[in-house]
Amino acid sequence: MLAAMPTPPSATARDEPVIRDRGDACPGALRLHAADDGYLARVRIPGGLLTARQASVLALAADRFGDGHLELTSRGNVQLRGLAEGCGGGLAELLDGAGLLPAPGHERVRNIVATPLSGILSPERPHVTPWVGELDRLLCASTRAAALSGRFLFAIDDGRGDVAALDPDVTVLGGPRGRALVRLGAAPDAVEVDAPDAPRAALLAAEYFLDSADAAGTRAWRVSELPAVHALEAAELAARLGAAGIAADLVPEVAWPYAPPPKPWGAGTGDRTPLCVLPPLGRLTADQWRLLVRVAGGGEGAEDADGGTGADGGTGTGTGADGGDGELRITPWRSIVLPRASTRRPVDGYAQLVAAGLSVAPDGPWESVTACTGRPGCAKALSDVRADARAVVDADGAGVADGEAPAGPGGAPVHWSGCERRCGHPRGAAWVDLVATPGGYRLDGRPVPSHELAQAVADARSQPRVSEDAVKK
C-alpha cells in the first residue's frame, strides 16, 4: 500500500534565493576531482542501467587506473577513486568504447534516477525503463541542456513513488491508461501528458528551468534555488509543451505516492530470479563487482571487458526494455538489482554473493547505513567514518551465534558524515544525522561520547529527526 509522500524541507520554495558566485564543480568522468587519495571520477549511469559488458569495463577501469574499488552514489552512479594524475585520456577512451560517454559535452548532466524494479515486479505498473534511454538521448542531443548543472536531477518513477521521493528537479510519474505526470521541483501541481511524450516533456521542463535561472541571474543549480519571483509554474510548462506540439493537461493538485526503497529479499525460487544486492556502505572491490556481473549474466560476459560498445547501441542505458540477461541496475540507495540473476544454475549466485560479503537477504545489519568518504580520502573529513560505521555494525552483531546473520537495527536510515557538508546523505525522508566533530560525533545535533555511540545510533533510528542545519545542506 502506498503512503503519502512528505515534502522534503530542502525542496520547499525559498524566500531568499541562493546566489552562487561560481560555476558548478561537480566531478564527472572527464572532469576529475583531486582528493586526498588521488583523483576521483564519477561515471553517470542514467537510470542506473548497465549491461554486463559495461559493468565489466567499469571493473577494468577500477583496476587499471584506480584503487581497485567501485563506489555507488546516492544518484545511482559509480565512482572510481585513487586515480593517477594523467589517466584521464585513457579512462575516457575506455568508457567511451563501452558506450558510457555518448556525449562528452553532456556527461555531467545525465543525472537520471529511475524505479529500479520497473518491469521486474508489479507488472500492473507502466514499464518506465525505456523512458530513461529516450530522455538520455534527448539530453545528449540538446545544446541547451548542456547548461544544466551536475546537480540537476531527473526522476522517472513507475507510479509507486520511490524515486519521486528523492527531491528531484523534474519528476515523471507513470500512471494508468498510458498517461504520465510531469512535476517541477516539489510543486503540488503537475501536467499530464501521454506516456510516449513524457521524456520530451521532461527535457522541456528542464529547459524552462534554465530560462528562469537565466532571468533570475543567481546561477541557480536546482529548481529549489530559484527566487520566488522566478518560481516555475505548471501552467507555464503546460503552455510551453503545447507550443512544442505536446498535449498537456494541468492537474492542480496531486496526491503523490510514496514507497520505501527496495531491500534485499532473499534467494527466491527457480534458477533465475530477481535479486537485490546490498554492498556494505555502497563500496565493492573489483572482484566483488565482477562476481555481480557473472551472477547477472549466468556466468557469461564478466571476462569480456576490453572496451566495445554496449548492447544498447551506445547510450549506456542498458538492455532496459526486456530486463534481459546480463543487466544490472544501480539504485539511488547504493544497492544493485539483478533482474534475472542466476541463483542456482548455471551459477549458484546466491551462495557466492553471500560468501563474498554482500547482503542478499532482508534485515541485514547494513540496511540503510551509509557514509561519506571520510578519512583518508577527503581532506575535510574529521574522522574515518567508514571504519567507525563498521565498528558500530560489528558491535550490534556481537554475540550472534556462528552461522547466523546479525539482524539489522531497523528503523530510519543513518548517515555518517565526516564534516558539516554531509555528502551523500539520504533524501526525501527522516534520517539519523551523525556528523564527525573534532572531539568525536554529534548525533542529531547533540554530542555523543564514543563509548555510547552504538547505543545512541540504535536509539536514534527508532525516532529519527533531521536538524535544521542538515536540511539546509
Side-chain angles (χ1 to χ4, degrees), residues 27-29 41-46 58 73 76-80 91 95 100-101 107 110:
R42 182 174 300 159
V43 184
R44 264 62 174 192
I45 314 291
L58 289 174
T73 78
N77 296 318
V78 174
Q79 290 188 163
L80 307 174
L91 175 62
L95 297 177
L100 292 168
L101 287 178
E107 63 101 4
R110 302 168 68 226

Side-chain angles (χ1 to χ4, degrees), residues 281-304:
L281 298 178
R283 183 172 167 86
L284 305 94
T285 66
D287 285 342
Q288 288 175 318
W289 184 269
R290 290 189 178 95
L291 172 59
L292 281 172
V293 176
R294 289 196 296 274
V295 174
E300 300 175 357
E303 305 306 323
D304 187 12

Side-chain angles (χ1 to χ4, degrees), residues 69-74 77-79 81 277-285 288-289 292 330-336 357-358 366 368-372 386 390:
H69 291 79
L70 301 98
E71 294 181 345
L72 311 182
T73 78
S74 59
N77 296 318
V78 174
Q79 290 188 163
R81 302 191 66 95
V277 183
L278 181 66
L281 298 178
R283 183 172 167 86
L284 305 94
T285 66
Q288 288 175 318
W289 184 269
L292 281 172
I330 314 303
T331 82
W333 304 280
R334 298 182 176 88
S335 58
I336 303 167
L358 302 173
W366 288 107
S368 303
V369 179
T370 57
C372 71
R386 286 174 169 165
R390 288 182 180 277

Side-chain angles (χ1 to χ4, degrees), residues 118-335:
S118 182
I120 302 174
L121 303 177
S122 304
E124 73 280 2
R125 299 188 182 279
H127 189 185
V128 300
T129 299
W131 300 357
V132 175
E134 177 62 9
L135 176 55
D136 187 37
R137 185 189 68 79
L138 292 170
L139 273 174
C140 292
S142 168
T143 302
R144 183 70 170 128
L148 291 170
S149 81
R151 303 172 193 271
F152 193 91
L153 180 64
F154 296 89
I156 298 183
D157 195 300
D158 73 352
R160 72 188 68 204
D162 55 355
V163 294
L166 298 178
D167 190 18
D169 296 283
V170 174
T171 304
V172 175
L173 188 77
R177 301 179 299 279
R179 302 282 280 173
L181 294 173
V182 181
R183 178 171 68 162
L184 299 160
D189 53 5
V191 297
E192 188 176 46
V193 300
D194 286 335
D197 292 325
R200 186 166 167 238
L203 174 65
L204 292 172
E207 292 178 349
Y208 173 27
F209 160 78
L210 289 172
D211 290 344
S212 294
D214 287 348
T218 57
R219 304 181 80 169
W221 293 343
R222 308 202 61 193
V223 168
S224 62
E225 297 176 357
L226 289 171
V229 69
H230 293 282
L232 306 184
E233 298 179 357
E236 171 63 16
L237 176 59
R240 286 174 174 244
L241 295 179
I246 297 176
D249 297 325
L250 181 63
V251 183
E253 190 168 350
V254 179
W256 290 94
Y258 170 75
K263 295 183 177 183
W265 53 70
T269 59
D271 293 337
R272 289 276 189 153
T273 186
L275 273 185
C276 182
V277 183
L278 181 66
L281 298 178
R283 183 172 167 86
L284 305 94
T285 66
D287 285 342
Q288 288 175 318
W289 184 269
R290 290 189 178 95
L291 172 59
L292 281 172
V293 176
R294 289 196 296 274
V295 174
E300 300 175 357
E303 305 306 323
D304 187 12
D306 57 348
T309 54
D312 63 342
T315 63
T317 54
T319 55
D322 300 319
D325 294 356
E327 184 184 355
L328 298 84
R329 300 185 183 183
I330 314 303
T331 82
W333 304 280
R334 298 182 176 88
S335 58

Side-chain angles (χ1 to χ4, degrees), residues 280-281 365-366 369-371 383-399 406-407 409 414 416 434 441 449-458 461:
L281 298 178
W366 288 107
V369 179
T370 57
S383 182
D384 185 344
V385 291
R386 286 174 169 165
D388 294 341
R390 288 182 180 277
V392 167
V393 169
D394 289 344
D396 288 336
V414 56
W416 295 70
L434 199 63
Y441 280 92
S450 58
H451 66 280
E452 298 178 6
L453 193 55
Q455 186 59 52
V457 170
R461 296 192 75 175

